[in-house]
Amino acid sequence: MKAVIIGASREALHTIRKARAHGIFVTALDGDPQAAGLAAADRGVVADISREEETVEAVRKEGPDFVLTAPIGRYLTTVGAVNDALGLPGITRRMAELCTDKFLFHEKLAREGLRNCRCYRVRQDGAVLFDGVDGEAVTEEDLCSERLQMSWPVILKPRFGSGSRGIRLAGCLTELKEELERIQGEEYVLEECVPGEEYGIDGAVIGGKFYMVLLRSKVNTPPPARQAVGYFACGRENGFWQQVSGHLEKVIGCLGLQECLFHADVIRAADGPFVIELSARPSGHNLHNLFTPLCTGVDPAEEYIRYRAGESYSFVPGTVRPLMIHYFDGEGKVYRVPDDKQAETLLQDFCEKRDAQLAMIRWQCNLFCGELLGPVTDGHSLMGRGYYILEGERRQDMLAFSEELMNEILRHQ
């Protein structure tokens, strides 16, 4: 069999390797000649994946049986366009558009009663600043008179692509005006900030059936960035699991998603789950390829490959292990970089002091002495630093170790 993967960054390596291990010939496409996935695939093709027609023709020459998806942002629509043009299974361009355009996403769900907040499309043409889903327009004059009927705080975020970049939080009208003056060069949306704990979800829609593989609670930095710097695995006995599962199944149906992996970000609001965003592709940040399989025994990418190859597959998780993945989120100068053995020693000392029971499952530290760590503002500023995975029953112990670890790394000796 032949498969194509569109977007061949390092995030695509896991899927490429799994497909090749199953005897599938993989062609990877990316606009960057140095993209890691081009060399890892059976064939690497340099192509501008933002150009749909060119990508369709490049894929047509390969004659694939299906397209595999890796973590990708705005150009998930190119995957859908290829499937439409070549009659391949998987998401359509319309499905992808609903996932990658935050305004259309809100519009679709709000009309079905599945997303309850005010959301506006930010415009910068003339006096009209915002367009609402119901057609109302807000002008600069209206803004000054506070006609903008939203609950504070509000969030400004890029209309297209990944939700972990470019997030701006405004707690009042003055702050909103200041943030509006800063944004340039791309479209934004403005919506009410729904309070509550944030979660991430990995799942799949296969053969007309919805599967929720893992529910992860987030460890976020404070506003305004609110960047996820860690995740805790939640067991299926968690009461919120069933609420989220039922709600997301309705959201998936509303969006028309089928034959795909997906990831979602959800808030545990006072009146139930609130979907921040959902995309028909696997999660990044070493989640779908590492953390989710370790927690659940289910490797979503491999199971999807099995499904497409006509092999037996299962997206049903087993017992969820109590794991945490955490990234190196400190700010300051690096004075010490522990190797894996030194990290184990630090953990053992910590456990003895606190009478805690924690185990180091993975350690990948890419920091170097003398490095200056800046503030964590988005995923790009964080992911290259590395990660570690702990196992333990008490979350407070794992969080306390994370804080002590960063203090050790940044402490001047």
Side-chain angles (χ1 to χ4, degrees), residues 37-51:
L38 296 183
D42 293 287
R43 178 179 295 130
V45 175
V46 178
D48 184 351
I49 63 173
S50 70
R51 298 178 179 273

Side-chain angles (χ1 to χ4, degrees), residues 341-358:
K341 292 183 179 180
Q342 291 168 336
E344 284 278 7
T345 300
L346 288 171
L347 182 61
Q348 291 172 7
D349 292 343
F350 172 86
C351 289
E352 289 178 6
K353 285 189 300 183
R354 291 182 62 104
D355 191 26
Q357 293 185 340
L358 301 176

Side-chain angles (χ1 to χ4, degrees), residues 377-396:
T377 57
D378 54 28
H380 180 72
S381 64
L382 183 66
M383 288 306 123
R385 300 178 182 184
Y387 62 88
Y388 51 96
I389 297 176
L390 300 179
E391 183 167 19
E393 296 294 339
R394 299 192 306 197
R395 294 187 179 187
Q396 63 268 30

Side-chain angles (χ1 to χ4, degrees), residues 20 65 80-82 108 147 156 171 186 237 241 251 350 371:
R20 294 187 69 194
D65 298 289
V82 167
K108 180 73 172 175
R147 175 176 172 263
L156 272 169
E186 66 176 309
E237 69 281 358
W241 181 295
V251 170
F350 172 86
E371 181 178 3

Side-chain angles (χ1 to χ4, degrees), residues 183-326:
I183 62 174
Q184 293 181 353
E186 66 176 309
E187 294 185 58
Y188 273 70
V189 294
L190 173 73
E191 69 179 34
E192 293 171 316
C193 179
V194 176
E197 185 179 4
E198 289 190 34
Y199 291 77
I201 293 93
D202 295 309
V205 188
I206 301 295
K209 189 171 181 180
F210 169 88
Y211 298 93
M212 194 161 110
V213 178
L214 181 63
L215 176 69
R216 309 176 253 103
S217 65
K218 293 188 179 185
V219 182
N220 282 345
T221 61
R226 292 175 34 154
Q227 172 65 40
V229 295
Y231 294 90
F232 289 107
C234 301
R236 299 180 72 180
E237 69 281 358
N238 184 302
F240 193 49
W241 181 295
Q242 300 305 324
Q243 291 184 46
V244 172
S245 180
H247 186 69
L248 283 185
E249 191 164 9
K250 294 177 183 177
V251 170
I252 292 283
C254 179
L255 297 174
L257 299 186
Q258 54 187 338
E259 303 300 299
C260 65
L261 303 177
F262 74 85
H263 85 97
D265 292 319
V266 174
I267 289 176
R268 188 173 192 168
D271 57 352
F274 173 85
V275 180
I276 302 171
E277 63 176 44
L278 185 148
S279 191
R281 50 88 162 175
S283 54
H285 299 179
N286 286 304
L287 295 171
H288 85 280
N289 60 310
L290 178 63
F291 188 64
T292 296
L294 283 173
C295 292
T296 65
V298 175
D299 183 326
E302 183 164 25
E303 296 307 320
Y304 187 78
I305 291 164
R306 288 179 178 277
Y307 168 66
R308 286 284 170 229
E311 303 174 14
S312 62
Y313 66 91
S314 175
F315 289 94
V316 179
T319 301
V320 178
R321 294 174 66 183
L323 302 183
M324 178 195 75
I325 184 170
H326 208 288

Side-chain angles (χ1 to χ4, degrees), residues 5 8-19 35-41 70:
I5 193 158
S9 70
R10 294 189 64 83
E11 297 270 30
L13 291 177
H14 177 75
T15 298
I16 292 171
R17 289 165 178 163
K18 287 294 182 180
L38 296 183

